[in-house]
Amino acid sequence: MRRIGVTGAAGRMGRTVIETAGDREDVAVVFAVDATDEEKVADKPIHEPDDVAALLATHEPDAIVDFSVPEATVAFADACAEAGVALVTGTTGFEDDQLDSLKSASEDVAVLKAANFARGIQALLATVRAAAGALPGYDVELTETHHNKKQDAPSGTAKTLLEALAEEREEDFEEVYGREGIDPREAGEIGVHVRRAGDVRGEHELMFAGNDEVLTLSHRAEDRGVFAAGALDAAVWLADRDPGLYTFGDVIEG
Ligand code: NAD
C-alpha cells in the first residue's frame, strides 16, 4: 500500500484522483491540499498549500500526486525535494524557468511529469512517430479539444505530440515549426487548432495529408478517471525510484 498526498485536491482532476484512489487497494490518500474555501473533498479534510512541508513531515507519504497550477507545482516540488518525497505531476502550462525548477528538484527526488496520463496517448505517441517516419513531407495538422475551463492552450499533450513529430523528423523544432519570436506551436508550419467547448475531457487528432491520401490518428478521453488511474499507477511505480526526471512512458515500459 503506497501512501500519497494529493495537491490541487479540490480541482476536477484532484477530486477524481481521490475518488479513484478510494476504489484501489494499492494506494491510500493520507492528505489533501488545495487553495480553496472548501473544507473537505470526499472524506478528506483540505489543507492549505503553506502546510505542505509540515504534512510531508507528519504523514511521510511515498509520493505526492499533483494536478494544480504551475506556480503551485514548483513550490510542491521544492517541498518534496526537501523532504525526500517523490512527486508525480500532471499539471500543464509550465514556463521554461518553472521546468528548470522541476529539474532541480529531480536531482534530489524522483519527479515524474506527464501532460497526459492516458495509456492510449502513449500508444498514439508511438503511432505518430511511426507515421512521421513513414510519411516524410506530408502536411500535418493537429486539432485539440478540451472543456471551456482549461487554462492553457495549446494543451500539454499537443506540445508533447509536436515534439515527438519534430524528433522523429530530425528537424529543429524552432526552425521548422516556428518563426523567431513567435511560439512555434502557435505559428509554425504544422497547423495547431485549439477548441474549447463544454466539458470535453480531451481530444487530440493528427492529420497527415499527402497527395491523394490522408491519414488521421485520434484519441479521446471519455472520463477523467483514465488520467487519475494513470497518475496513481505512476505514483506506485515512482515510489521506489532513484532521483531523476521520469515520464509516463517510463512507467508503461516498466
Ligand atoms: P482545476 O482548475 O479544476 O483544478 C486545479 C486546482 O488547483 C483547483 O482546485 C485550484 O484551487 C488548485 N490550486 C490553485 N492554486 C493552488 C495552490 N497554490 N495550491 C494548491 N492548489 C491550488 O483544473 P484541472 O482540470 O483539475 O487540471 C489541473 C491541471 O492538470 C491542469 O494543468 C490541466 O491541464 C492538467 N491536466 C492534466 C492531465 C494529465 O493527464 N496529465 C489531465 C487533466 C488535466
Side-chain angles (χ1 to χ4, degrees):
M1 168 79 77
R2 295 297 184 188
R3 298 157 54 78
I4 60 161
V6 177
T7 50
R12 280 173 288 267
M13 275 309 304
R15 280 170 201 281
T16 313
V17 168
I18 291 173
E19 281 161 19
T20 307
D23 293 335
R24 290 173 60 144
E25 291 183 355
D26 58 345
V27 286
V29 175
V30 293
F31 64 79
V33 168
D34 199 295
T36 177
D37 292 339
E38 279 181 74
E39 290 183 357
K40 277 190 172 184
V41 167
D43 59 344
K44 306 290 172 200
I46 299 290
H47 298 274
E48 302 276 337
D50 286 349
D51 294 342
V52 161
L55 290 163
L56 289 170
T58 311
H59 295 280
E60 297 184 344
D62 294 297
I64 276 190
V65 174
D66 167 75
F67 287 90
S68 58
V69 293
E71 57 273 27
T73 303
V74 166
F76 299 144
D78 289 346
C80 281
E82 192 72 26
V85 172
L87 172 71
V88 171
T89 181
T91 302
T92 60
F94 292 103
E95 302 291 341
D96 287 346
D97 60 325
Q98 293 170 323
L99 289 173
D100 288 344
S101 297
L102 293 187
K103 274 186 204 137
S104 298
S106 74
E107 288 168 15
D108 295 320
V109 290
V111 175
L112 189 150
K113 181 179 85 64
N116 199 307
F117 281 106
R119 284 170 185 262
I121 286 289
Q122 294 303 313
L124 178 64
L125 272 166
T127 314
V128 162
R129 285 198 182 97
L135 307 173
Y138 279 42
D139 291 332
V140 184
E141 293 287 307
L142 188 155
T143 304
E144 60 104 333
T145 310
H146 281 86
H147 57 85
N148 57 23
K149 304 282 189 307
K150 185 165 174 62
Q151 303 278 324
D152 54 325
S155 68
T157 307
K159 292 177 187 172
T160 305
L161 288 163
L162 290 171
E163 276 154 12
L165 273 168
E167 212 176 279
E168 190 58 39
R169 289 183 162 184
E170 293 180 354
E171 289 168 343
D172 181 273
F173 193 88
E174 300 286 331
E175 273 179 23
V176 175
Y177 300 120
R179 299 196 302 272
E180 204 178 331
I182 298 174
D183 184 339
R185 291 122 191 176
E186 288 167 9
E189 290 177 10
I190 290 184
V192 179
H193 311 278
V194 174
R195 302 192 296 187
R196 294 288 174 260
D199 195 27
V200 176
R201 272 35 176 182
E203 294 181 4
H204 293 86
E205 181 187 288
L206 285 116
M207 181 177 81
F208 291 79
N211 287 336
D212 302 330
E213 67 170 343
V214 172
L215 170 69
T216 306
L217 302 172
S218 69
H219 175 272
R220 185 174 69 243
E222 300 196 324
D223 191 285
R224 291 191 176 91
V226 72
F227 305 129
L232 290 170
D233 291 346
V236 170
W237 181 88
L238 197 67
D240 288 333
R241 303 289 141 181
D242 291 333
L245 195 55
Y246 297 92
T247 67
F248 190 46
D250 296 329
V251 179
I252 303 238
E253 285 160 21

